[in-house]
Amino acid sequence: MSARSRTIWTFGITSAALFMASLDNLVVTTALPSIRAHLHASLEGLQWTVNAYTLTFAVLLLTGAALGDRYGRRRLFVAGLGLFTAGSAAAALAPGIGWLIAARAVQGVGAAVLIPLTLTLLSAAVSPERRGLALGAWGAVGGLAIAIGPLVGGAVVEGASWQWIFWLNVPIGLTLLPIAMARLTESRGTATRLDLPGLVLASLGLLGIVLGVVRGNDHGWTSATVLPPIVIGALLVAAFIAWELRAPEPMLPLHLFRGRSFTLTNVASLLMFFGMFGSIFLLAQFLQVVQHYSPLQAGLRTLPWTAMPVFVAPVAGTLSDRIGGRPLLAIGLAMQAIGLGWLAAIASPTVAYAALVPAFVITGVGMSLFFAPVANMVLGSVRRDQEGIASGANNAIRELGGVFGIAVLGAVFSAQGGYASGTSFVTGMSSAVWVGAAAVAAAAAAALALPRLRKARLAQAADELHAGEPAPEPVPGLARVS
């Protein structure tokens, strides 16, 4: 097989796999009302339908590429693809909410292995002079999948049923598996020691905290099923931090957080995803549960928000190169906070859709301005040989922000309102979205506190800060994930 053919095959296979897995970030949100009605799911069940995927993905993300480097990238890519496909089939067959949550967790494990390796395999297959073009197209595929997720989910649910948002993955996965085995070239990276103690401590600790927060309102915050998981989870997270400080090859090198730019960028990312994903979880249901739009109509009506990155991100990327990422981060986060506050202020059971559109557009533009420079801000705050692990850490932290956003804003929603009536839903949703807006406003404040440094100066400062420290091995599969 010629180099050109290998590049074309690798781009096609990895892009199709990336699109399939990325689509699951938001495609489920439009189906939540149908899942709730068909499986008689509670708010807690709906939260875990989303969080089971996101939490496993976030925790295992830093491990996925490392496994590929050690055992073979094509081999692990195929394994992750198979696991994601099997999880999708299991989710489609779910007879109850518990089964669906378990299947979503399996999907998350598969995605954590699959997504970082799509970039590693593509980067290795493309010649250096064409790598920028290929990686840009790769990023566009992932962005498009996230942008049209609610629309695709709405169309599938309305045209068939909620199960088909998962069934669609199965023929794609089964088609890609033999092609990947036949057409992808096997490669390996530097084999590093897997940080299994860190992985276990982080997984169990975060699971305990999220489990307690999700159950808090229904079971009582001091009950045996809420307070002990939160306390034990917090202790395990503390143990994780203590272990990472002395581990020979830590999953998350904490010395990176000594840099002000790296720390503040990750704080802003955490808070942004906390506020945005927690709000989207409720607003996607509002359009159907309260406004009585069909799933497809609801998906179409979210496009002024979710599709903005497709149009704005390229322009924002150019601006980022000219003026630096700090102003764009701060302005984008401020716009998102304003948009969410606007939605919380005007929401009512009878609010006209036209009144929501300006807030959707402002929030979508703000989200675009955040995504364009954040990767460069992260990479520019560390040494070049630390870019892989830094980018992986940022992605994991962002995903965890979404997990906790859904858990905490869901708790606020259930404390202030519920599904009993449209008025009750709006009361709970407005309170929760105000919390989300406050979190994103705090993210904007963190962005304003970033040093006024361009990428080159950030890299120089990072070199000075970490001079003499042993650099961890980079995680190639995550070097440019954003």
Side-chain angles (χ1 to χ4, degrees), residues 201 204-213 221-240:
L201 289 171
L204 294 179
L206 293 169
L207 177 63
I209 295 172
V210 175
L211 182 66
V213 171
W221 290 97
T222 59
S223 68
T225 59
V226 174
L227 188 58
I230 292 177
V231 172
I232 294 171
L235 291 174
L236 289 173
V237 170
F240 166 75

Side-chain angles (χ1 to χ4, degrees), residues 397-412:
I397 288 168
R398 283 158 49 175
E399 294 292 338
L400 289 174
V403 170
F404 282 101
I406 290 171
V408 173
L409 268 62
V412 174

